[in-house]
Amino acid sequence: MTTTENPAATDTRTITLRVNGREITRTVSTRTTLADFLRDDLDLVSVHLGCEHGVCGCCTVLLDGQSVRSCLMLAVQARGHEVETVESLSADQTNLHPIQEAFAEEHALQCGFCTPAMVLRCKEIIADGRTRTDEEVRREISGILCRCTGYQNIVNAVQNASRRCASTGQEA
Amino acid sequence: MTATQDPARTTEEGPDRPAFTYIGKDRRRVEDPRLLVGRGGYIADMKLPGMLHAAILRSPVPHARIASIDVSAALEIPGVVAVFTGEDVKAHMDPCMNFGPATITQYPIAVDKVRYVGEAVAAVVAENRYIAEDGVDAIVVEYEELPVVSDPRAALEPDAPVLHEEHGSNLGYERTFEFGDITAALESADLVVEDELHWGRSAGMPMETTGAIARPGHNGVLEIYCNSLNFSYLQFLLAAALRIPSNKLKMQPVPAGGSFGSKFTAHKVPTLAGFLALRTGRPVCYLEDRLDHLMNSDHHGSDRYYKVRMGFTKDGLITGLDVDVVDDYGAYMQFGVGTHGNALSQAVGPYRFRDLRYRLRAAVTNKCQQGAYRGFGSEVHNWVLERLVEQGAAKLGIAPEEIRKRNFVLPEEFPYKIPGGNVYDSGNYPGVLEKALSMIDLEHWRKEKERLRREENRYIGIGIATTQERSVFSSTEFWFWFDEPPFPITSSPESATITIDPTGAFQLLLHCQAMWGNSPETVATTILAEEFGIEPESVNVSYADTSRALPGTGPGGSRFTVMVAGAVRGAARKLKKKLIDIAAHTLEVAPEDLELVAARVQVRGAPERSLGLPELAASAYFFALNLPPGMQSGLEESYTYDHPYTTLPSPDRSDLGVFYPIMGHACHIAVMEVDPDTGMTKFLDYVAVHDAGTVVNPKSLGGHVTGGAAQGLGSTLYEELAYDADGQFRSSTFLDYLVPTANEVPPFRIGHVETPSPYTEYGIKGGGEGGRMVTPSAVSAAIDDALREYGMHVRELPIKPADIVATVQAARAKG
């Protein structure tokens, strides 16, 4: 087979899924990753690509409420599912979600590249309303690499966000 | 200025130090809101109409002649626009910028030969990245493999295969500096500690890779958007490589998702994007993927082999230091040996000894080239220095904190000129140590160490280490190595432009690549707020492209906070004068009777007579006849702040001059547990105290310290850009190159001491790198201390569990 006949390059499917609460229907190349689909087709550039081999976790999105690495999924695999990116919390810089506020207050970000992933993971883990030790939080965020902060302020932000969401009764 | 003259001192030190409104307070960063909603504006987020994407074929072999490249199958793929090889770059561009030997040249695509695994062999430009990578897969290359040089010491042997025939050997550079009399210093010592040490390769490894988009624009101007390079400093060198006039290359800074040195002067990505755009006539994006970045980022960090000796008196006073270092620079020497200039800026650490010899040999090998990583080579030297101090203390039976106290330069001795010529501006090293000791109960841990060993068979170690943190580089360290340097640069300025618009709102223009994950906008707006009494968040910050940028150097060498503060304050002074002159004319009072308080110009002692910024701005823009005679309309002032204290090296290099005088300091104390059977380590406590002069924002400085310490930990225990003996690269994914996760990094407890610099605005010192510069020493000392009974002695980084276990097993076998 010569590469000019590579069917992977030309094969497409039409998919329907929910993204940040909206139903979306698009025709995509079957080899397009979920990350590239979200970034390039839907302009959700908060989904950051750090390694594209499933280690750094910067491309984390929530799929039916659970964190997944969107670089390791194909867009077509998300058909029929619900995807959330950080824009689902707040895309308005002047009106942040309490989790985003907690990250700002605790200085839990520097370059911002892992931040959307960390915020989404925070949302997922504090959803149960449980009180956690710092060590538990460390374990639960250890699937996402941050090169700037040394993690302590992210741990603090998760705890801060947990308190905020509990006290306001706001759903995480 | 000669080396003996002291520059003007500022007024920020001592009891008269003014109270600040914003400086020194924990404040939220102004950069954060956009980052928290995922709109960081990174290079990958940028799309230009008609933009193509490039992917790179990289060499799978470390050293080979390229016999042939067949790109025909790639060109047949629908969507592939063009393929370029070394033949094309040789024909259409000049070698990349190079501060190393002129006989070692480099292009962004290998010409004739490949010299390391991962070197670019061909670039495919296509309609999208997927197709470009299909194109890469379709290229067929024939390599004629050559003998490989992997070990830098073997590279210097006379019969070693030579990488660059034109250079003639693999010795990129050699020089020995001696300050004082090292022979006498060691002969007179009661104890001489000798060691051989190896600092292994790691790299900044930001979560975002390096990328650039180039577009052929109007009037024959090539536009390059990129997240790397100190472009307002070095843009003309890119233009030269691309064979275009510098005023026809417009570079626009794009915020970066981290650098830590990896994007400092990283030039090959924007150069390649520029070349591809010029050749195709279309916008081209080249964004490294992680594999590209791991094996061929513009540079890996230091990779040094040391033979060292340090003399001590029986009382623990250091008499001298003798360093013989071979540094593995990889296949090209793009930045020369500036990373060793860095080491020389603080070669004696915080200690008072006067005799020093420093022999450097830079070796060329079949590996990725070397460059900046947080510490820029001074962190390596500090590890070596502290390793020796640690051994001296142990052999003399002196506690590690005590031997340091005995050797510290004392607060009353500043400014202090070290052997070699650099000056330490100010410091309080005993104060930093005392602060660290006050944050941790050392006696408790020392007793606990004995008890746990005795009662629970557990191994606890305590490591104490210090570092100098040189900040604010001047540029002489890049060339004082040469007797006849081709371009002995002495400038490293930073600029700012403040505009108050017709409504009284502030615009702040910075003139460099600045947002790399540090907090340039928070710092600059904090200074601006301090000067005008406005809210930092009300200021809009933007970055100039090179078509209008004033002199700037960008972040690097922990310079940016000091330098941008100087630039903003300088511009603020000019603009405040204009505001006061307008107000004086309007209110008909003398300018000296006016002051600017909380965004109003008011009469001293009669604040009810005042004018707000909107009123003054309206006058400045719209009512020229109300302005003082001869004054120009508008409210905009710029200021270029030069390095506050640089002197020339002496012609014979017996004195290297003052080149890195704004000197911070830190002390870390680590308490660790080590499992002798598995080699696994665990932190029980960790204290980090830093003195970066006047602190602008304790929270963001703490973030730098914590993040830097985490990276230091990575370089010490986990991260290795490994090559095997055949030159094959063994760390090409994040499964092999182990960036610490939240599980590995302990909760560092941070303390600040403030010893203002007498030479900078507000007394600020740099603080971006210190965290990484001391962790390796503290952790190495703690591991040694935990397993002292087995003769544990860390000689090589990263420290691998297998090395710890091997040491323990060997000791146990001996009984």
Side-chain angles (χ1 to χ4, degrees), chain B residues 640-660:
Chain B
T640 296
Y641 180 70
D642 276 298
H643 191 284
Y645 188 9
T646 307
T647 66
L648 280 174
S650 66
D652 66 357
R653 303 294 187 264
S654 61
D655 186 314
L656 302 174
V658 179
F659 60 101
Y660 236 136

Side-chain angles (χ1 to χ4, degrees), chain B residues 594-643:
Chain B
L594 293 172
E595 59 185 352
L596 195 158
V597 177
R600 296 188 75 80
V601 178
Q602 63 189 32
V603 177
R604 287 179 204 274
E608 69 282 0
R609 290 192 68 200
S610 68
L611 289 166
L613 291 182
E615 295 160 281
L616 293 164
S619 292
Y621 281 90
F622 300 122
F623 302 101
L625 297 182
N626 292 353
L627 297 178
M631 180 180 280
Q632 294 172 32
S633 291
L635 279 177
E636 177 173 293
E637 293 290 352
S638 295
Y639 190 82
T640 296
Y641 180 70
D642 276 298
H643 191 284

Side-chain angles (χ1 to χ4, degrees), chain A residues 2-4 6 9 31-33 36-37 39-41 43-53 55-56 58 86-87 90-94 96 99-116 119 135 137-153 155 164, chain B residues 28-29 32-40 42 44-45 47 73-74 76-78 128 130-131 134 137-138 203-209 256-258 260 289-291 294 373-374 515-519 699-701 703-704 706-708 710-711 714 719 732-735 737 739-743 745-748:
Chain A
T2 72
T3 46
T4 48
N6 182 358
R31 67 175 179 172
T32 298
T33 65
D36 285 342
F37 172 69
R39 289 183 55 83
D40 296 339
D41 292 49
D43 203 31
L44 294 169
V45 294
S46 68
V47 179
H48 296 150
L49 289 166
C51 75
E52 297 175 89
H53 53 268
V55 181
C56 78
C58 290
V86 81
E87 287 88 344
S90 172
D92 178 356
Q93 299 182 33
T94 62
L96 298 174
I99 296 177
Q100 292 163 318
E101 286 284 343
F103 272 66
E105 182 172 311
E106 299 290 346
H107 184 39
L109 63 153
Q110 291 179 30
C111 82
F113 205 73
C114 75
T115 304
V119 167
E135 201 158 339
V137 173
R138 282 180 180 273
R139 196 158 53 242
E140 289 178 311
I141 63 168
S142 66
I144 302 168
L145 297 178
C146 170
R147 193 58 163 166
C148 296
T149 64
Y151 301 107
Q152 181 59 49
N153 288 349
V155 175
R164 281 171 185 260
Chain B
R28 286 191 184 199
R29 301 195 319 157
D32 284 351
R34 66 176 189 249
L35 300 174
L36 281 160
V37 300
R39 288 297 180 278
Y42 306 111
D45 303 348
K47 296 181 182 105
E76 283 174 26
I77 296 172
N128 66 45
Y130 287 74
I131 297 171
D134 289 342
D137 289 345
M205 210 53 64
M207 290 300 103
E208 184 214 34
T209 58
F260 320 110
D289 66 20
R290 183 57 56 184
L291 277 57
L294 277 158
Y373 182 18
R374 208 170 196 164
M515 176 53 193
W516 278 348
N518 47 346
S519 314
K699 203 148 202 167
S700 66
L701 178 62
H704 274 297
T706 309
Q711 290 182 333
E719 297 175 34
S732 56
T733 76
F734 267 169
L735 292 169
Y737 187 81
V739 172
T741 76
N743 283 329
V745 180
F748 301 106

Side-chain angles (χ1 to χ4, degrees), chain B residues 436-570:
Chain B
L437 291 171
S438 76
M439 289 172 63
I440 193 165
D441 189 344
L442 214 52
E443 287 319 304
H444 160 77
W445 279 115
R446 282 176 176 157
K447 282 184 194 142
E448 196 63 1
K449 169 181 154 74
E450 300 305 322
R451 186 188 71 77
L452 288 170
R453 177 70 187 91
R454 197 171 56 238
E455 295 177 10
E456 296 182 26
N457 201 31
R458 289 166 62 190
Y459 296 77
I460 309 300
I462 301 162
I464 299 179
T466 66
T467 188
Q468 296 297 84
E469 184 179 6
R470 83 290 170 275
S471 68
V472 195
F473 73 82
S474 63
S475 299
T476 60
E477 65 176 316
F478 296 105
W479 56 263
F480 62 49
W481 298 91
F482 305 97
D483 291 323
E484 291 176 0
F487 193 66
I489 183 171
T490 56
S491 302
S492 51
E494 206 60 60
S495 300
T497 302
I498 305 170
T499 307
I500 300 175
D501 79 6
T503 72
F506 280 76
Q507 295 277 3
L508 177 61
L509 182 67
L510 303 179
H511 296 267
C512 58
Q513 172 61 285
M515 176 53 193
W516 278 348
N518 47 346
S519 314
E521 295 157 35
T522 298
V523 168
T525 58
T526 298
I527 304 300
L528 196 56
E530 193 70 53
E531 293 297 321
F532 287 93
I534 54 170
E535 289 298 318
E537 293 76 12
S538 70
V539 179
N540 186 57
V541 182
S542 51
Y543 297 94
D545 67 57
T546 55
S547 67
R548 58 181 302 213
L550 296 168
T553 313
S558 295
R559 67 184 296 283
F560 196 73
T561 296
V562 167
M563 296 301 292
V564 82
V568 170
R569 197 180 206 185

Side-chain angles (χ1 to χ4, degrees), chain B residues 160-222:
Chain B
V162 172
L163 269 74
H164 297 272
E165 288 79 3
E166 198 189 344
H167 187 67
S169 81
N170 299 321
L171 181 63
Y173 181 80
E174 176 172 15
R175 183 149 192 164
T176 302
F177 287 119
E178 183 167 348
F179 307 110
D181 184 346
I182 188 63
T183 308
L186 294 180
E187 277 174 3
S188 68
D190 299 312
L191 168 71
V192 175
V193 173
E194 294 189 35
D195 212 346
E196 295 192 16
L197 300 165
H198 174 218
W199 174 285
R201 247 169 212 252
S202 52
M205 210 53 64
M207 290 300 103
E208 184 214 34
T209 58
T210 307
I213 297 171
R215 167 164 70 180
H218 300 295
N219 289 333
V221 170
L222 177 68

Side-chain angles (χ1 to χ4, degrees), chain B residues 337-357:
Chain B
V337 292
T339 50
H340 289 272
N342 237 265
L344 286 169
S345 73
Q346 50 180 62
V348 296
Y351 309 123
R352 303 173 70 173
F353 65 92
R354 301 300 309 174
D355 298 294
L356 170 74
R357 180 161 57 199

